[in-house]
Amino acid sequence: MGVIIKRFLSGMGWQGWVLVLAFGLGSCSGPSPAVMMESAMVVMEGGGGEPADAAGVEDEIVARINAFRHSRGKDSLRRHGGLDRLAAIHSGDMMRRGKMSHRQYHYRQFVAEEGYELENLIENVMRGRGIPDSELGRRIVGSWIESGAHRGNLLAPNESIGVAVVRGADGSVYATQLSARPRNEYVPQPGGPMILY
């Protein structure tokens, strides 16, 4: 993750590096739920164990999320390559560690904000064991829809989505879904109007 942050900040002055150091060295008791909008994690079990067709499953997940959003009067989310990469890094990290988590969420949030100029980063994660590829998309999205907090994340007023699914050597599947929207910064000007850029 450090390499990604360095790549994004390579053209920044000292302020960018101070922010990286603050993220790297600062202690944090945990993010505010309102900021993270993360939710309870779901563990599913089933049969099967063949290697995942990740690209096909990821496309199906996005299609199912957008179908659910449409059923609730929401606009579709568009795939975002940067969010896909962040999701892939996190899914791979969960697989290597053998546990589902929102570990290092702040780093994904930082890269989304500073590298991709996105805000309101929302994350859903899932771990499943022995689920056949043919059922992955349906089971993953279905589990998020059944959970109130996850469902709220799926319906958030965002525009972009990133998804990554990986399968470990033991057949466990780890999925990460991120969504965000373009960052709008309001900068108050003394004696003047608000400026949106």
Side-chain angles (χ1 to χ4, degrees):
M1 186 61 78
V3 172
I4 292 172
I5 292 171
K6 288 177 188 173
R7 186 177 305 140
F8 288 126
L9 296 179
S10 63
M12 296 182 76
W14 65 270
Q15 297 92 342
W17 288 106
V18 168
L19 188 53
V20 170
L21 290 173
F23 267 37
L25 300 176
S27 62
C28 180
S29 61
S32 157
V35 172
M36 290 185 65
M37 294 184 72
E38 70 179 63
S39 56
M41 297 174 269
V42 177
V43 177
M44 302 184 309
E45 296 188 30
E50 61 276 4
D53 167 18
V57 171
E58 292 161 0
D59 289 343
E60 181 185 354
I61 288 170
V62 173
R64 286 179 178 275
I65 289 171
N66 280 332
F68 175 65
R69 288 175 61 87
H70 290 156
S71 75
R72 300 300 166 95
K74 304 288 184 183
D75 292 333
S76 292
L77 298 171
R78 292 180 307 278
R79 284 300 278 274
H80 187 283
L83 292 180
D84 280 341
R85 285 187 289 278
L86 291 175
I89 290 168
H90 186 57
S91 290
D93 181 61
M94 289 191 296
M95 180 187 69
R96 281 186 296 280
R97 295 169 52 80
K99 62 167 57 171
M100 181 176 50
S101 73
H102 291 281
R103 181 177 180 262
Q104 296 184 339
Y105 168 84
H106 287 296
Y107 292 104
R108 288 184 293 288
Q109 182 181 42
F110 176 74
V111 173
E113 289 175 357
E114 298 304 319
Y116 302 126
E117 297 186 359
L118 298 171
E119 67 180 6
N120 194 41
L121 184 71
I122 294 174
E123 175 174 281
N124 285 327
V125 297
M126 190 283 298
R127 179 184 72 196
R129 290 184 221 110
I131 304 168
D133 292 352
S134 61
E135 294 182 26
L136 276 174
R138 179 182 62 79
R139 300 260 312 259
I140 290 168
V141 177
S143 70
W144 289 334
I145 289 171
E146 290 172 12
S147 162
H150 285 93
R151 184 172 52 251
N153 285 350
L154 296 177
L155 296 172
N158 284 340
E159 299 176 18
S160 301
I161 188 170
V163 175
V165 178
V166 299
R167 189 184 294 274
D170 66 353
S172 293
V173 174
Y174 296 88
T176 303
Q177 178 262 317
L178 300 169
S179 70
R181 62 182 175 238
R183 183 174 62 195
N184 292 313
E185 294 186 26
Y186 291 90
V187 180
Q189 300 296 314
M194 300 286 277
I195 297 174
L196 174 66
Y197 63 92

